[in-house]
Amino acid sequence: MLVSLFVCPLCQSPLQPAADTWRCDGSLNPKQTAHPFDVARQGYVNLLPVQQKKSKTPGDSQQSIEARKRFLAAGHYAPLQRLVCQQMKQLLGQDGSISVPTAKPNKTPVNWLDIGCGEGYYTQAMAQMGSDIIATLIAADISKPALVELAKVSKAASQLWYQQHKDKAEKTTVIYPLVTSAAHLPLRAHSVTGISSIFSPILPEAFAKVLVDKGYLIIAKPDVRHLATMRDALFDSVREHDSDKFLQELAPYFTLIETHRVSTEMTLSATDLADLLTMTPYAYRARSEKRQTLLAAVEQQAFSTEAKFVVYILQKSADK
């Protein structure tokens, strides 16, 4: 039972998970009162206080989430999904221990944070690796509609924390779907073994705070010339992805261990391309007439483009 993995987003007191309502113990609250957080019927917990919201409905919209679900279900980004999971398996010992070259294997169960998890395409693949790799998987995103989708799938698969039984022969990875801000993670300091951030914000100090000593950070970003032919069709002037720009910000807290690249050629129907546009910033950055011209052309002939990704493997510095 994870008694103190989570902290209250309002007063930072220890927060106890339960099947119906999570409550902090109020020990760090000046009024010494507990804050309750109800578990939604779908299975997620909203730990995003109104004062941490920058808009009424932060994060991805329902339309964007539905488009991404369809596009990813078609397997277009499967090579990236496989690469991320492959790297996680290599970093984490098969017994669930963190692979620190200078230390003996640690038998402590692995807690992993998938930040900006969205509707859970990558999260679900991580969970499929099993509890021998990851015991606890915290799926966090600021978008409530995204967490609704992830929680429903996790609940149907009996993966939620309150669905686990100690006497169950087959041990599965336990998932905690949380609506929360990446800048204000409701996690105890030094409580997670690793963090994955796939196309999500990078917050070096916040990440370093919750990671264990020598914990891992996996970051996936678009690489140079990602979806180049699509962007060329949408914009008069194309600014390339500068995937390395955040490494300097991470340097005080993390050491870059490895960099991996993966690409995949895609032949997209008009429906696929419309979904890809909707799930990316190009949906609102490109002029409407440019989008319509491109989609009309694809109605006549399938569109070819290449998805190119870069994955960084970093390790938390020992003194941070």
Side-chain angles (χ1 to χ4, degrees), residues 48-50 52-59 142:
L48 182 66
V50 68
Q52 291 180 10
K53 292 184 178 182
K54 294 182 179 179
S55 66
K56 189 175 180 181
T57 55
I142 203 168

Side-chain angles (χ1 to χ4, degrees), residues 2-7 15 96 98 106 108-113 134-138 176 178 185-195 206-216 316 320:
L2 296 169
V3 177
S4 58
L5 175 57
F6 303 99
V7 298
L15 180 62
I98 189 165
N106 181 354
T108 304
V110 167
N111 302 321
W112 192 278
L113 169 64
I134 300 174
T136 302
L137 186 52
I138 303 143
Y176 290 83
L178 304 180
L185 292 167
L187 296 168
R188 177 172 50 82
H190 315 301
S191 61
V192 298
T193 312
I195 298 174
F207 291 175
K209 181 181 177 181
V210 299
L211 274 172
V212 299
D213 186 30
K214 295 190 177 181
Y216 289 110
K316 180 181 168 183
K320 297 296 179 182

Side-chain angles (χ1 to χ4, degrees), residues 218-264:
I218 297 180
I219 297 173
K221 290 285 186 184
D223 203 359
V224 175
R225 300 297 288 167
H226 174 63
L227 305 178
T229 56
M230 186 178 86
R231 290 187 291 129
D232 289 342
L234 290 173
F235 302 101
D236 296 328
S237 176
V238 176
R239 186 173 64 180
E240 269 307 339
H241 293 286
D242 184 7
S243 304
D244 292 347
K245 65 181 179 182
F246 60 87
L247 291 177
Q248 188 173 354
E249 300 171 29
L250 287 163
Y253 305 91
F254 295 91
T255 301
L256 180 64
I257 302 173
E258 296 176 343
T259 302
H260 301 270
R261 286 179 163 80
V262 63
S263 61
T264 178

Side-chain angles (χ1 to χ4, degrees), residues 16 65 69 73 75 77 100 123 127 134 151 164 203 211 312 318 320:
Q16 178 60 55
I65 292 161
K69 279 174 60 180
Y77 282 8
V100 182
T123 314
I134 300 174
Q164 305 304 304
L203 299 166
L211 274 172
Y312 303 94
K320 297 296 179 182

